[in-house]
Amino acid sequence: MPKKRSGGGLSPLQQATKFLGVSVLAGAVMAGIALPAAGALGLAAKGSVQGFDDIPDNLKSPQLSQRTTILDSKGNQLASVYSRDRTVVELKDISPYMQKAIVAIEDSRFYQHGAIDLKGVLRALNKNAQSGGVSQGASTLTQQLVKNYFIEEAGDDPTKVAQATQQTLGRKVRELKYAIQIEEKLGKKKILENYLNITFFGEQAYGVEAASERYFSKHAKDLNLQQSALLAGIVQSPTRYDPINDEAEAKKRRNTVLARMAEVGDISRAEALAAEKSDLGLKVSQPKNGCITAVKGASFFCKYVEKVFLSDPVFGKTKEARAKIWNQGGLTIRTTLDPQAQASVQSSLKDHIYKSDKVAAAATLVEPGTGKILGMGQSKPYGYGKNETEYNYSVNADMGGSNFGFPTGSTFKPFVAAAALEQGLPATQQYPAPYSMDYPSPVSTCSGKNWVNTDGATVENESESEKGPYALKEAMAKSVNTYFVQMISDIGLCPVVSMTNKLGVVQGNGDKIPEVPAIALGSKGLSPLTMASAYAAFANEGTYCTPIAIESITQRVGNEQKSLAVPKSTCSRAMSKKTADTVNTVLRGVVDSGTGQEAGLTDRQSAGKTGTTDSRKNAWFVGYTPQLAGAVWVGSAKQNIEMTNIRIGGVWHDQVYGADTPGPIWKDAMTGALEGKQVENFQLVNIPDPVKDKGNNDGKNNDNGGNNNGGNNNGGTTDGGTTPTPTFSFPDGFIQGTTNGGNNGNGNGGNRG
């Protein structure tokens, strides 16, 4: 029976000896070797062996968390994201100096012993007994590898990390058993490779490749002797020996490693002395982690890709499962972002609006027929400082956007027109469209319960001279409010809501479009991505395709790459080809001779619609060619800036219109994105003008001389011109469809243009 101290406990030497006995016995059990002398070490053999055998036999090597690389559609890197900065490399891609340095300082007998080093244990016991504490450890590289496996598996859970690192006999025994398995299964070279890839080198760098890039801006295969010695020395205490924060301490530790390498015969003493005289030779690279570091202004798109991954069930059935894959990383994500289109979006935004402006702009480009997002950007950069934001104004709230989207004004009117055409109304349909009128009542709904104008809400056109009768083409070109209110009254609300559902049009908070007449005037908040994708259906002959951001994903598992399934665009017919062709013809008139002339492209056919909202808090242009659709929004994210008497991008505006601010942004972005692309034309239809002998031709007004193509006014909102306009008021709650307006249909989207 071992002697106990007067206090009743074993002495430090006796405790260490007991641990050694357990380790030796455990190793013997695993190897099938009998150790008759085990009892002399003071062990209760039966209990120790039973506890050891209860440990599960198989240790699964964790999939190491690595960097995820996000690429554009051409394979150019946009950003790298990671929970742990690590790039796994093979042993052949690690400098021989580095391999020798880590073995020399951490486990110099690595190639001579098995899972445990008995000589090392005895040496450590002796030194620790002499010092009265723990001055030297005895864990082999294999044991350290197992410990790192436990830490890696724990992830960022502090409780699990504490359990993985706690200094208990039970953990040590478990570590030993798995170390023996690993020795038998992997062999020395693979163990060394795994160790160098998993261990922490400080400064956010996990694994030798990331450490080499962090401290020396080079690959691990290119490390020289003194650089290898420095990295090997850091492992024991990444904080204490951090060369960035304490060069003197790091150099002292590096020289200790060099001396040890000479001592074990890896290098000559002369080589060690020469290396010791050199400085650290740091060439530090700042870690570039996360979408905030994305190039080409793609930070917001990068975050959108991340949101897609974490929310789409194709990547895992649960939120936790998807997050685990994302955090493990090792992904190469090729996205739909087209570098030419993205560069054009960013250039146009920069040319037309400053990040320091009171208002912001967001632009999104989508490819008709595929749903691919080709460009996405905004004027205020991604970040947390002044004139920066983390909100992506181009997308819905659940994908990182604003809480409700932004009221779209008259850019909603083409949806009403499409619904009416699908119901059989002719493109020559006329309505009286007076200057001012009450909202028609009652209006039928899908539920069968009619909407009724209980508040006596009214709607007006821009000026008293603007009064019908009008047909569709001219009404769209001039953005006549009363025309579209009468149209929605004629066909009812259900066809319009049905059309928006087919076009993927939901509010920024994810809610469906409500059944109220004010939706005809864009009273509800939508996102640029939603609008661009919906308009793309007009370009795609009436077929709507859900937007997608990811082309393909591969994941590195060990030394192999495997492909992951990705979300696919779902295309479905939203309207007949005839309806789409008719809408294209009508919206082509908007940019040819209507409110959107300033946005029209000069080298190819285009179509689109302007829009502004109450008090000019939002201005839009949404348009397309047969090959590309895009939406541009300008306004205040908090909806607290009225864009009158305001300077935007260095240009003074008495009043902001959809044509003169978002329109040019759209025009330049589209022009650059389509440069060098084949010119394609719409299949237009002939729409006769049923209104004869009017004071002006069908939609031939322009923005000069204060003609009626100037911004019409509905609740102080205009678009497309510069003529001063009268204002009028609505009941409380009417503005932007809030409370009464949103529920009863009296909401005014600011609906001219």
Side-chain angles (χ1 to χ4, degrees):
M1 188 74 175
K3 294 182 180 180
K4 294 185 178 180
R5 295 177 294 163
S6 58
L10 296 176
S11 69
L13 180 58
Q14 289 172 322
Q15 289 178 328
T17 303
K18 180 176 180 179
F19 170 66
L20 173 62
V22 173
S23 299
V24 172
L25 179 60
V29 171
M30 290 300 297
I33 300 173
L35 286 183
L41 295 173
L43 294 171
K46 181 178 179 180
S48 298
V49 173
Q50 184 178 6
F52 188 84
D53 287 343
D54 287 341
I55 299 172
D57 287 334
N58 296 318
L59 172 66
K60 293 183 178 180
S61 300
Q63 183 178 330
L64 300 185
S65 58
Q66 300 184 65
R67 296 176 189 170
T68 283
T69 302
I70 299 177
L71 310 174
D72 65 23
S73 63
K74 305 299 183 183
N76 305 304
Q77 181 170 324
L78 296 174
S80 64
V81 298
Y82 50 81
S83 58
R84 291 183 176 176
D85 186 9
R86 176 189 284 117
T87 300
V88 175
V89 293
E90 298 181 29
L91 195 62
K92 66 180 179 62
D93 293 320
I94 301 174
S95 166
Y97 285 124
M98 186 67 222
Q99 298 178 40
K100 292 177 181 179
I102 199 72
V103 170
I105 197 63
E106 290 294 320
D107 186 2
S108 61
R109 286 175 35 80
F110 176 64
Y111 292 105
Q112 283 76 52
H113 62 66
I116 61 171
D117 181 8
L118 294 180
K119 288 185 179 181
V121 171
L122 292 171
R123 181 181 66 252
L125 287 172
N126 183 49
K127 289 196 173 185
N128 291 344
Q130 291 176 2
S131 66
V134 181
S135 62
Q136 187 174 116
S139 291
T140 64
L141 281 182
T142 310
Q143 289 173 281
Q144 291 183 50
L145 176 61
V146 173
K147 179 180 178 180
N148 276 291
Y149 279 172
F150 295 152
I151 294 172
E152 184 74 16
E153 193 67 30
D156 296 323
D157 187 321
T159 301
K160 292 182 179 180
V161 171
Q163 293 172 348
T165 57
Q166 61 185 343
Q167 295 297 319
T168 64
L169 184 61
R171 185 186 68 78
K172 283 289 186 181
V173 172
R174 185 171 61 137
E175 179 183 287
L176 173 67
K177 180 171 183 176
Y178 290 140
I180 295 170
Q181 291 179 359
I182 287 175
E183 282 275 347
E184 294 177 347
K185 181 179 179 180
L186 299 182
K188 294 293 186 181
K189 288 186 176 181
K190 192 64 178 178
I191 290 171
L192 180 59
E193 176 185 299
N194 288 0
Y195 178 80
L196 286 169
N197 277 307
I198 199 173
T199 197
F200 181 52
F201 288 87
E203 293 290 340
Q204 304 179 41
Y206 288 81
V208 67
E209 178 71 8
S212 181
E213 293 176 359
R214 178 76 172 103
Y215 296 111
F216 302 113
S217 300
K218 60 168 57 177
H219 294 297
K221 66 181 180 180
D222 299 322
L223 291 168
N224 62 25
L225 172 59
Q226 51 267 42
Q227 292 167 341
S228 298
L230 177 67
L231 295 186
I234 291 174
V235 171
Q236 186 182 86
S237 179
T239 301
R240 178 180 177 184
Y241 300 127
D242 184 347
I244 295 176
N245 295 318
D246 195 337
E247 287 195 22
E249 192 69 17
K251 186 173 183 179
K252 181 180 177 181
R253 175 63 176 170
R254 181 202 68 178
N255 291 348
T256 297
V257 176
L258 290 168
R260 182 60 177 162
M261 292 178 72
E263 184 179 341
V264 299
D266 288 332
I267 59 175
S268 67
R269 183 57 186 159
E271 288 177 301
L273 290 173
E276 288 173 12
K277 293 178 182 178
S278 66
D279 59 27
L280 296 183
L282 297 177
K283 187 178 179 182
V284 177
S285 294
Q286 294 299 322
K288 294 183 178 180
N289 179 26
C291 290
I292 196 171
T293 67
V295 299
K296 303 176 184 177
S299 293
F300 295 102
F301 178 77
C302 174
K303 287 299 293 184
Y304 179 78
V305 169
E306 179 180 338
K307 291 284 188 180
V308 168
F309 192 100
L310 294 175
S311 63
D312 199 303
V314 74
F315 298 114
K317 293 182 178 180
T318 66
K319 178 181 178 181
E320 292 73 21
R322 297 188 291 270
K324 183 177 181 181
I325 296 173
W326 182 263
N327 290 331
Q328 284 176 342
L331 307 171
T332 299
I333 303 176
R334 185 181 287 265
T335 70
T336 60
L337 199 73
D338 177 68
Q340 178 178 334
Q342 180 66 12
S344 185
V345 165
Q346 289 302 119
S347 176
S348 182
L349 288 166
K350 184 178 179 181
D351 287 345
H352 292 285
I353 189 165
Y354 301 152
K355 67 179 183 180
S356 57
D357 286 340
K358 293 181 180 179
V359 294
T364 298
L365 304 182
V366 173
E367 184 175 63
T370 67
K372 293 179 181 179
I373 302 170
L374 303 187
M376 179 182 287
Q378 60 194 54
S379 60
K380 294 192 182 296
Y382 187 92
Y384 309 98
K386 184 179 180 180
N387 296 318
E388 296 177 337
T389 182
E390 62 181 306
Y391 290 100
N392 184 350
Y393 301 143
S394 286
V395 302
N396 290 346
D398 64 337
M399 302 303 286
S402 65
N403 289 337
F404 302 105
F406 306 107
T408 59
S410 293
T411 58
F412 195 92
K413 290 174 180 174
F415 304 146
V416 179
L421 293 168
E422 284 290 283
Q423 291 300 301
L425 266 68
T428 55
Q429 177 69 38
Q430 297 181 54
Y431 292 107
Y435 158 66
S436 178
M437 60 179 285
D438 290 340
Y439 269 95
S441 177
V443 180
S444 65
T445 67
C446 294
S447 66
K449 182 180 179 181
N450 291 338
W451 177 88
V452 179
N453 185 3
T454 58
D455 298 326
T458 61
V459 59
E460 297 178 2
N461 296 327
E462 187 205 336
S463 66
E464 293 186 16
S465 64
E466 191 171 78
K467 54 188 176 181
Y470 289 109
L472 175 60
K473 189 175 181 182
E474 185 177 9
M476 188 72 79
K478 292 181 176 180
S479 201
V480 179
N481 293 328
T482 56
Y483 178 91
F484 289 95
V485 168
Q486 289 181 307
M487 175 174 274
I488 209 170
S489 174
D490 192 358
I491 64 173
L493 286 161
C494 196
V496 179
V497 173
S498 176
M499 176 59 64
T500 56
N501 288 343
K502 292 176 182 178
L503 292 172
V505 175
V506 296
Q507 297 180 69
N509 62 1
D511 291 348
K512 295 287 188 179
I513 299 298
E515 290 188 76
V516 292
I519 62 173
L521 308 181
S523 61
K524 294 303 177 182
L526 308 178
S527 71
L529 177 58
T530 294
M531 293 298 288
S533 299
Y535 270 53
F538 298 140
N540 191 37
E541 299 182 341
T543 297
Y544 169 75
C545 297
T546 56
I548 56 170
I550 300 173
E551 293 264 26
S552 64
I553 299 180
T554 58
Q555 183 177 33
R556 179 167 179 169
V557 180
N559 294 326
E560 298 181 355
Q561 296 279 354
K562 71 173 184 178
S563 296
L564 300 184
V566 298
K568 302 295 184 183
S569 179
T570 302
C571 298
S572 57
R573 181 156 293 283
M575 67 195 77
S576 69
K577 181 179 183 301
K578 179 181 178 181
T579 293
D581 290 342
T582 304
V583 172
N584 295 340
T585 304
V586 169
L587 294 185
R588 176 138 178 76
V590 174
V591 298
D592 278 350
S593 56
T595 60
Q597 289 181 78
E598 292 182 61
L601 302 183
T602 58
D603 62 340
R604 63 186 70 224
Q605 288 186 356
S606 60
K609 187 70 187 75
T610 54
T612 57
T613 66
D614 294 321
S615 303
R616 291 182 175 80
K617 291 181 179 178
N618 303 275
W620 287 78
F621 188 85
V622 188
Y624 54 95
T625 71
Q627 299 143 289
L628 189 62
V632 176
W633 162 84
V634 176
S636 165
K638 295 182 179 180
Q639 296 290 279
N640 60 353
I641 302 294
E642 296 184 4
M643 292 185 289
T644 57
N645 298 318
I646 189 173
R647 192 175 298 278
I648 301 175
V651 177
W652 179 259
H653 297 267
D654 293 330
Q655 296 177 320
V656 166
Y657 302 96
D660 68 10
T661 305
I665 296 174
W666 180 90
K667 180 177 182 178
D668 289 352
M670 292 284 286
T671 298
L674 291 168
E675 185 177 359
K677 304 291 194 298
Q678 180 179 349
V679 174
E680 296 182 11
N681 294 324
F682 297 116
Q683 186 170 334
L684 303 177
V685 299
N686 179 44
I687 304 177
D689 183 0
V691 183
K692 304 296 184 181
D693 301 322
K694 292 191 66 176
N696 56 279
N697 291 329
D698 183 19
K700 292 300 189 291
N701 293 358
N702 55 49
D703 292 330
N704 298 322
N707 288 338
N708 286 339
N709 259 5
N712 287 354
N713 187 293
N714 189 24
T717 63
T718 62
D719 194 63
T722 57
T723 303
T725 57
T727 60
F728 63 100
S729 60
F730 290 112
D732 290 342
F734 193 83
I735 302 302
Q736 292 180 11
T738 59
T739 312
N740 292 337
N743 295 330
N744 298 327
N746 298 340
N748 175 31
N751 316 301
R752 173 58 174 171

